[in-house]
């Protein structure tokens, strides 16, 4: 017999905190970059007469400022990501213990909450490295946008009164990138840790659970499984409630045929339900 358990879902509160911290960094960075914009605004008359001297000057100023903020983002990532992943593991364990409390012995669940096997440590290390890389890339992309905007104004391709609007737009893009990173990495890290804990508990089957949290959910992910399709080829009519073997993930993208687990696709916030089976008496 199969016993239904409480699904494990990526912690939204941790995603919000992650996003809030990145937003604060981006806001400070944008304010710092605005000082360069004021320099060129005050030199409009000089620029109108001869803009050739600005090429090197712009690149030099923006490069120095970009390096400064890339280092700050990197320091933030390296200082906070290990602790964030550790907290994610704790959240995973708490949800897993709640889900399996009527199935496993208390001693086993206590072990789950404390023991970190080598394979899980490796997964955590990979997650930390990916987070650091993504966070550190934010200021470089922002710098390139600002440089493009300033160059466009100086070359006469855009009017000066459009400058603030363009700068606000550049900041908005970085904010959206940060939001995507916070959501995507929270989902990926949580689910990757949950899968390793499932293995540790001897869980062999998992039920895909759509979170219903996304504003634009993937139709294939939200569609309810018919209970039959996909058992052989891993291509169910819908992923929601689809039961699959741990080592044989289903197709998660109908167009590309990519296989994977909840959270593998960008912005996928789906969760997992550990399946426990026992013999009926």
């Amino acid at each position: 017999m199969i016993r239904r358990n409480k699904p494990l879902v990526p912690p939204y509160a941790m995603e919000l905190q992650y996003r809030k911290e990145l937003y604060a960094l981006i806001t400070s960075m944008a304010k710092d970059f605005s000082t360069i914009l004021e320099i060129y605004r005050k030199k409009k008359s000089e620029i109108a007469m001869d803009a050739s001297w600005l090429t090197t000057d712009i690149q030099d100023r923006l490069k120095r400022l970009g390096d400064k903020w890339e280092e700050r983002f990197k320091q933030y990532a390296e200082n906070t990501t290990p602790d964030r992943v550790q907290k994610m593991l704790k959240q995973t364990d708490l949800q897993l213990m709640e889900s399996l409390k009527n199935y496993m012995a208390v001693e086993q669940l206590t072990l789950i909450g404390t023991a970190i096997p080598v394979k899980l440590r490796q997964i955590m290390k990979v997650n930390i490295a990916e987070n650091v890389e993504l966070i550190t890339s934010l200021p470089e992309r922002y710098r390139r946008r600002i440089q493009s905007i300033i160059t466009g104004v100086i070359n006469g391709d855009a009017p000066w009164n459009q400058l603030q609007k363009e700068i606000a737009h550049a900041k908005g893009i970085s904010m959206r990138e940060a939001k995507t990173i916070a959501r995507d990495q929270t989902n990926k890290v949580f689910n990757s840790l949950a899968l390793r804990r499932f293995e540790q508990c001897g869980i062999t089957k998992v039920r895909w659970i759509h979170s219903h949290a996304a504003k634009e959910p993937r139709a294939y992910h939200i569609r309810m499984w018919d209970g039959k399709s996909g058992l052989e080829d891993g291509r169910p009519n819908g992923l929601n409630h689809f039961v699959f073997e741990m080592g044989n993930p289903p197709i998660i993208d109908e167009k590309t045929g990519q296989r994977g687990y909840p959270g593998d696709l960008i912005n996928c916030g789906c969760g997992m339900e550990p399946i426990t089976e026992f013999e009926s008496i």
Side-chain angles (χ1 to χ4, degrees):
M1 294 181 64
I2 293 179
R3 179 183 183 278
R4 293 297 304 272
N5 298 294
K6 188 175 181 180
L8 277 65
V9 180
Y12 185 58
M14 293 190 70
E15 176 195 328
L16 286 180
Q17 180 60 34
Y18 192 0
R19 189 196 311 175
K20 181 180 178 181
E21 292 170 5
L22 289 177
Y23 280 4
L25 272 172
I26 291 171
T27 298
S28 296
M29 177 176 65
K31 185 177 181 180
D32 202 7
F33 269 85
S34 68
T35 59
I36 290 184
L37 303 180
E38 286 304 312
I39 291 174
Y40 297 121
R41 186 193 296 276
K42 292 175 182 178
K43 295 184 177 182
K44 284 192 293 184
S45 58
E46 297 176 43
I47 294 170
M49 295 175 61
D50 181 14
S52 60
W53 64 272
L54 280 175
T55 303
T56 302
D57 190 61
I58 290 173
Q59 292 177 347
D60 183 56
R61 289 177 187 273
L62 291 178
K63 179 66 167 58
R64 290 201 304 269
L65 205 52
D67 289 345
K68 167 187 170 182
W69 279 99
E70 186 171 331
E71 182 60 28
R72 288 195 181 181
F73 273 70
K74 183 178 180 181
Q75 288 178 356
Y76 160 77
E78 291 177 342
N79 292 337
T80 63
T81 304
D83 183 58
R84 181 178 296 108
V85 173
Q86 189 68 43
K87 289 180 179 178
M88 200 83 71
L89 178 60
K90 183 177 181 180
Q91 180 63 222
T92 302
D93 289 345
L94 288 173
Q95 289 194 33
L96 183 57
M97 286 189 281
E98 175 65 22
S99 178
L100 301 180
K101 65 181 180 181
N102 295 323
Y103 169 70
M104 299 184 72
V106 174
E107 292 78 7
Q108 289 177 291
L109 293 178
T110 301
L111 177 64
I112 292 170
T114 57
I116 305 179
V118 174
K119 188 173 182 180
L120 183 53
R121 288 185 185 277
Q122 292 174 339
I123 293 295
M124 293 171 72
K125 186 176 181 180
V126 170
N127 286 331
I128 289 171
E130 183 176 350
N131 268 257
V132 170
E133 182 178 354
L134 286 169
I135 293 170
T136 306
S137 70
L138 283 169
E140 171 60 16
R141 291 198 296 274
Y142 179 78
R143 182 192 67 78
R144 289 181 181 278
R145 293 186 194 106
I146 296 300
Q147 182 168 330
S148 176
I149 291 168
I150 295 177
T151 301
V153 170
I154 290 173
N155 291 336
D157 298 330
W160 278 94
N161 59 13
Q162 281 288 103
L163 192 60
Q164 289 303 323
K165 189 176 294 185
E166 294 289 337
I167 295 303
H169 180 65
K171 179 184 176 183
I173 293 175
S174 292
M175 289 291 201
R176 290 191 291 276
E177 288 177 342
K179 182 178 180 180
T180 298
I181 290 173
R183 180 193 300 121
D184 187 57
Q185 288 301 298
T186 298
N187 297 341
K188 276 186 169 65
V189 173
F190 180 84
N191 284 329
S192 67
L193 296 177
L195 286 168
R196 300 292 79 79
R197 283 306 203 196
F198 287 172
E199 288 181 347
Q200 192 178 349
C201 293
I203 300 296
T204 60
K205 292 183 179 180
V206 176
R207 190 188 310 275
W208 188 296
I209 302 294
H210 189 271
S211 66
H212 298 281
K215 292 183 178 180
E216 298 180 0
R218 292 177 171 87
Y220 181 49
H221 289 206
I222 199 172
R223 193 182 308 140
M224 189 66 70
W225 179 44
D226 59 14
K228 299 177 182 179
S229 61
L231 295 176
E232 296 294 330
D233 60 5
R235 190 187 290 272
N237 71 305
L239 282 174
N240 198 10
H241 283 209
F242 178 62
V243 176
F244 59 92
E245 297 286 343
M246 279 281 292
N248 187 29
I251 289 173
I252 57 179
D253 188 321
E254 289 181 299
K255 294 181 179 179
T256 65
Q258 177 184 343
R259 289 178 178 268
Y261 298 93
D264 280 359
L265 291 180
I266 188 82
N267 288 330
C268 174
C270 295
M272 299 177 288
E273 176 191 324
I275 298 296
T276 51
E277 299 179 286
F278 57 93
E279 294 183 2
S280 58
I281 300 176

